[in-house]
Amino acid sequence: CYLHSNLHRLIPRAKVALHTHQPYATVLASLEGYEFQMLDQNACRFHGRIAYDRHYGGMFLNPDEGVRVADLLGDDKHVLFLGNHGVLVIGETVAEAFEDLYYLERAAQHQVLALSTGRPLSIIPDEIAALTCKQWFAYPADCDLHFRALLQILDEEDPGYAS
């Protein structure tokens, strides 16, 4: 409550805030000092868009936590890795925030799997990662279409979810 209400109040672009404990992103958030690596095309979607909260102080029950988290996101970050906790994604629409959350977990899965090999990571150079991020958002895909397609699958497979 404290977290989300302050995000919506303090960050106008945060019309939607999705806070999850997805397994792969949470694993990365639990590694000391870990920075999200530009390891694959999905990861490049988040180039320059991630902030880190390395201070785990328990559950977000303190009213000041929302202000602190909003400050971490600043004017240009859309994803926040919450140390020892999970992730937070903000967006203008549910579809936009969900799309980021979807690709973030996929990229985090790839990173965990790559790290588990013990082999050196092949990091995409910064300038290529920046270009790929720009291409992600210039690509004519529509996150609303993706989200509606997922809802259609839910409607067909489990229509009771909506009640």
Side-chain angles (χ1 to χ4, degrees), residues 10-83:
L10 297 170
I11 304 175
R13 71 184 190 287
K15 292 180 177 64
V16 176
L18 301 177
H19 171 179
T20 70
H21 305 132
Q22 294 176 300
Y24 294 102
T26 301
V27 164
L28 295 179
S30 300
L31 298 176
E32 185 176 333
Y34 190 76
E35 297 280 329
F36 197 72
Q37 301 296 312
M38 297 298 109
L39 193 58
D40 68 344
Q41 181 171 294
N42 288 337
C44 291
R45 179 185 178 95
F46 302 99
H47 181 268
R49 301 177 63 226
I50 296 176
Y52 299 90
D53 180 4
R54 305 209 190 273
H55 170 75
Y56 179 74
M59 296 176 66
F60 288 116
L61 300 177
N62 180 332
D64 297 333
E65 287 297 295
V67 174
R68 187 179 69 76
V69 167
D71 286 343
L72 289 170
L73 285 165
D75 294 331
D76 61 345
K77 306 299 185 216
H78 291 82
V79 176
L80 179 62
F81 274 81
L82 302 162

Side-chain angles (χ1 to χ4, degrees), residues 147-162:
F147 191 68
R148 284 196 302 265
L150 291 172
L151 289 177
Q152 185 176 4
I153 291 169
L154 271 176
D155 287 340
E156 292 168 7
E157 294 181 1
D158 186 11
Y161 82 92

Side-chain angles (χ1 to χ4, degrees), residues 4 32 55 82 88 93 104 108:
H4 291 257
E32 185 176 333
H55 170 75
L82 302 162
L88 176 80
T93 66
L104 180 68

Side-chain angles (χ1 to χ4, degrees), residues 89-106:
V89 174
I90 62 170
E92 293 276 342
T93 66
V94 172
E96 178 185 304
F98 180 84
E99 184 101 338
D100 268 351
L101 193 60
Y102 175 87
Y103 284 108
L104 180 68
E105 182 65 3
R106 295 307 172 274

